[in-house]
């Protein structure tokens, strides 16, 4: 395809696992998998003109910026299993973990029953239409935060399915944040099934922190807030409420926020812990000692003017076994694997980041090497 | 040095472009408001196919504009299709970047014919 004009210079014996790629799930595709009465809604949406990540009642958007010629046309989508496999092959990616497009924003729906029905429909659609059809494509069970009990049932329903290797925790427009005790059934189920939970945000303008970015008049600054601030806010609440204490076997992954914020949060919380530990009484050790067991996906990988700074950065939070390559394909800010491959990481660290860490985390056997 | 004939200049009117391949290297040929430019089809950011991107203008503000955004560089801003990085087609330089630039090649015009010099 035109968007990938050159194959990367990936060494042939290097396994590349991409922890964040996106499938496009139009409402009409999910309709047959959705319970009534919401199936009627999805069928209805199939008859109205749809815009990219902007479908009323399905992928809620608030576009604030005045349009300009040729801008904002980065509406790449992947609609078939074959296309995804071809796209990933074009980037020498062996394994991709699938996330949705539109339902990245599922947390905004006030109707918990509708949100839960959408999540069930997506999971069933993914299992039937995407998983097990091409080598190296795996899914994440979508957990609707509005109905944690139903989300836990979904995790238990699909936890034994060969194709599902993680649980997707949506962050955009979420309230309460993922540290809230109401989500405990989700964590209990994920821990029981051995599935890592993966937090993933998306661009959104919404009243819930940190998506209340209406006063920022530039996308340049809205976008990092919508991603990194959302991950930071959720990480902080999860640490403070003792998620890693109460679910010690649970693996927690932060997606699409890069890595440079991790040392800041680790050191800042440790500093605070010296004075206010008693306000997070579940913690048995300093916050950074929990954070160093979390996982962080690379995309959007930071691009410091001195490339060596990126290597230093990962060392600052002992990330050698905790950083996971992700491309975010096919979204507008995707990272080609060679962006990480070309960073001056030592060879062993490169192998860990590009695939070995993810294979171990997700419980996926190493695939046969490319010929 | 190789000299590659590109055909008649009038076949590439202002705003038009062609992609040629020579020795496995993709090169974009642009007519930028009457001036011909040639750049390697490889973005210095993540090596995306920059020359396949849209050509448009952009917004710039400065003291001279009293910090008011101006529509600038009309029809001479190339947007890499991967991440929309902006390049000034007259120079190949990224607009207000870190010094990144597209790799440029010389174009000669002789008796109405264009030649690419590699």
């Amino acid at each position: 395809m035109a968007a990938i004009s050159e194959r990367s210079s990936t060494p042939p014996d290097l396994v590349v696992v991409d922890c964040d790629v996106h499938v496009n799930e139009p409402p009409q595709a999910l309709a047959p998998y959705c319970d009534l009465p919401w199936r009627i809604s999805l069928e209805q949406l199939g008859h109205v003109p749809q815009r990219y990540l902007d479908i009323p009642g399905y992928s809620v958007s608030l576009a604030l910026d005045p349009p300009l010629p040729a801008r904002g046309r980065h509406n790449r989508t992947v609609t078939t299993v074959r296309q995804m496999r071809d796209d990933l092959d074009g980037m020498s990616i062996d394994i991709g973990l699938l996330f949705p497009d539109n339902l990245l924003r599922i947390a905004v729906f006030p109707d918990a029953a509708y949100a839960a029905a959408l999540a069930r429909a997506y999971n069933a659609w993914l299992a039937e239409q995407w998983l097990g059809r091409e080598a190296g494509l795996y899914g994440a069970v979508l957990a609707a935060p509005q109905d944690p009990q139903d989300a836990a049932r979904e995790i238990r329903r699909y936890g034994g399915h060969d194709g599902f290797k993680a649980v997707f925790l949506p962050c955009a427009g979420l309230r309460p944040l993922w540290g809230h005790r109401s989500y405990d059934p989700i964590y209990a189920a994920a821990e029981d099934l051995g599935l890592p939970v993966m937090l993933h945000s998306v661009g959104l303008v919404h009243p819930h922190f940190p998506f209340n970015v209406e006063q920022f008049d530039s996308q340049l600054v809205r976008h990092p807030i919508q991603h990194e601030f959302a991950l930071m806010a959720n990480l902080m609440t999860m640490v403070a409420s003792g998620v890693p204490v109460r679910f010690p076997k649970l693996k927690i992954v932060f997606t699409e926020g890069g890595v440079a914020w991790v040392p800041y949060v680790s050191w800042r919380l440790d500093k605070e812990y010296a004075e206010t530990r008693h306000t997070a009484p579940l913690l048995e050790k300093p916050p950074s000692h929990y954070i160093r067991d979390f996982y962080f996906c690379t995309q959007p990988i930071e691009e410091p003017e001195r490339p060596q700074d990126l290597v230093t950065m990962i060392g600052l939070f002992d990330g050698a076994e905790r950083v996971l390559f992700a491309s975010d394909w096919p979204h507008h800010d995707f990272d080609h694997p060679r962006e990480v491959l070309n960073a001056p990481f030592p060879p062993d660290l490169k192998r860990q980041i590009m695939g070995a860490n993810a294979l171990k985390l997700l419980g996926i056997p190493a695939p046969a090497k490319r010929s | 040095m190789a000299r590659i004939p590109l055909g008649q200049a009038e076949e590439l009117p202002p705003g038009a472009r062609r992609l040629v391949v020579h020795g496995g290297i993709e090169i974009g040929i642009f007519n930028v408001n009457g001036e011909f430019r040639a750049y390697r089809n490889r973005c210095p950011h993540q090596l995306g196919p920059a020359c396949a991107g849209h050509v448009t203008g952009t917004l710039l503000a400065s003291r001279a504009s009293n910090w008011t955004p101006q529509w600038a560089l009309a029809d001479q801003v190339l947007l890499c299709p991967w991440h929309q990085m902006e390049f000034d087609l007259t120079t190949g330089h990224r607009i207000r970047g870190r010094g990144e630039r597209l790799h440029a090649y010389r174009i000669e015009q002789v008796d109405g014919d264009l030649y690419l010099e590699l």
Side-chain angles (χ1 to χ4, degrees), chain A residues 3 71 73 303 334-336, chain B residues 45-46 82-83 86 98:
Chain A
R71 307 284 173 156
R73 291 185 185 173
E303 296 172 350
F334 81 99
D335 283 328
H336 195 286
Chain B
H45 177 220
Q46 292 198 12
W82 276 15
H83 302 101
E86 302 173 306
R98 298 175 175 178

Side-chain angles (χ1 to χ4, degrees), chain A residues 38-328:
Chain A
W38 304 283
R39 186 190 311 162
I40 297 168
S41 305
L42 300 188
E43 289 168 348
Q44 175 70 18
L45 285 172
H47 296 296
V48 301
Q50 291 174 14
R51 292 186 295 188
Y52 178 66
L53 294 189
D54 184 7
I55 305 173
Y58 190 69
S59 187
V60 178
S61 181
L62 176 59
L64 296 175
D65 295 322
L68 288 172
R71 307 284 173 156
R73 291 185 185 173
H74 33 65
N75 54 349
R76 284 182 295 256
T77 57
V78 179
T79 56
T80 67
V81 177
R82 187 68 250 164
Q83 182 194 351
M84 179 65 82
R85 192 59 263 172
D86 288 346
D87 286 0
L88 298 187
D89 286 345
M91 293 184 279
S92 300
I93 293 169
D94 299 286
I95 290 169
L97 188 62
L98 310 176
F99 285 81
D101 274 344
N102 300 295
L103 296 182
L104 289 169
R105 299 197 179 116
I106 193 173
V108 304
F109 297 121
D111 183 340
Y114 176 51
L118 282 177
R120 290 194 301 273
Y122 170 80
N123 293 331
W125 171 79
L126 196 72
E128 189 167 313
Q129 298 293 332
W130 283 81
L131 304 181
R133 290 174 174 250
E134 286 282 352
L137 299 182
Y138 296 94
V141 182
L142 170 51
Q146 296 93 330
D147 189 342
Q149 296 289 352
D150 198 62
R153 282 192 292 274
E154 285 291 282
I155 294 166
R156 294 184 191 282
R157 174 175 296 133
Y158 292 106
H161 186 296
D162 285 343
F164 284 98
K165 297 297 182 186
V167 176
F168 161 39
L169 303 185
C171 296
L174 177 73
R175 183 175 177 143
L177 295 167
W178 280 111
H180 198 270
R181 295 290 290 261
S182 62
Y183 301 128
D184 282 1
I186 293 174
Y187 299 135
E191 186 181 51
D192 285 349
L193 275 297
L195 296 179
V197 292
M198 302 184 69
L199 289 83
H200 191 314
S201 189
V202 75
L204 176 72
V205 181
H206 190 269
H208 294 163
F209 177 86
F211 299 90
N212 47 342
V213 290
E214 72 286 346
Q215 68 173 306
F216 293 86
D217 60 3
S218 167
Q219 178 68 3
L220 175 80
V221 288
R222 279 199 298 268
H223 196 225
I225 292 170
Q226 291 157 339
H227 282 279
E228 283 89 307
F229 281 33
L231 294 184
M232 278 191 261
N234 280 294
L235 180 149
M236 290 183 187
T237 64
M238 293 172 84
V239 169
S241 72
V243 171
V245 186
R246 292 181 288 116
F247 303 96
K249 293 179 182 170
L250 182 67
K251 307 293 187 189
I252 303 170
V253 186
F254 295 84
T255 311
E256 200 162 346
V259 297
W261 54 277
V262 182
Y264 159 71
V265 170
S266 301
W267 294 344
R268 184 66 184 89
L269 292 186
D270 278 6
K271 178 74 174 175
E272 199 66 33
Y273 183 77
E275 185 178 348
T276 55
R277 186 217 56 79
H278 65 284
T279 65
L282 280 73
L283 299 186
E284 298 169 339
K285 53 189 178 182
S288 68
H289 291 223
Y290 296 102
I291 295 171
R292 68 175 57 150
D293 288 332
F294 297 164
Y295 294 78
F296 302 92
C297 291
T298 53
Q299 188 272 341
I301 190 71
E302 287 81 0
E303 296 172 350
E305 296 207 32
R306 295 186 303 255
Q308 185 65 33
D309 288 349
L310 188 60
V311 184
T312 304
M313 175 60 68
I314 288 174
L316 294 181
F317 61 94
D318 297 331
E321 296 180 359
R322 293 290 178 267
V323 175
L324 313 167
F325 169 71
S327 74
D328 194 33

Side-chain angles (χ1 to χ4, degrees), chain A residues 165 358-365:
Chain A
K165 297 297 182 186
L359 290 176
K360 187 175 175 187
L361 171 71
L362 301 173
I364 298 173

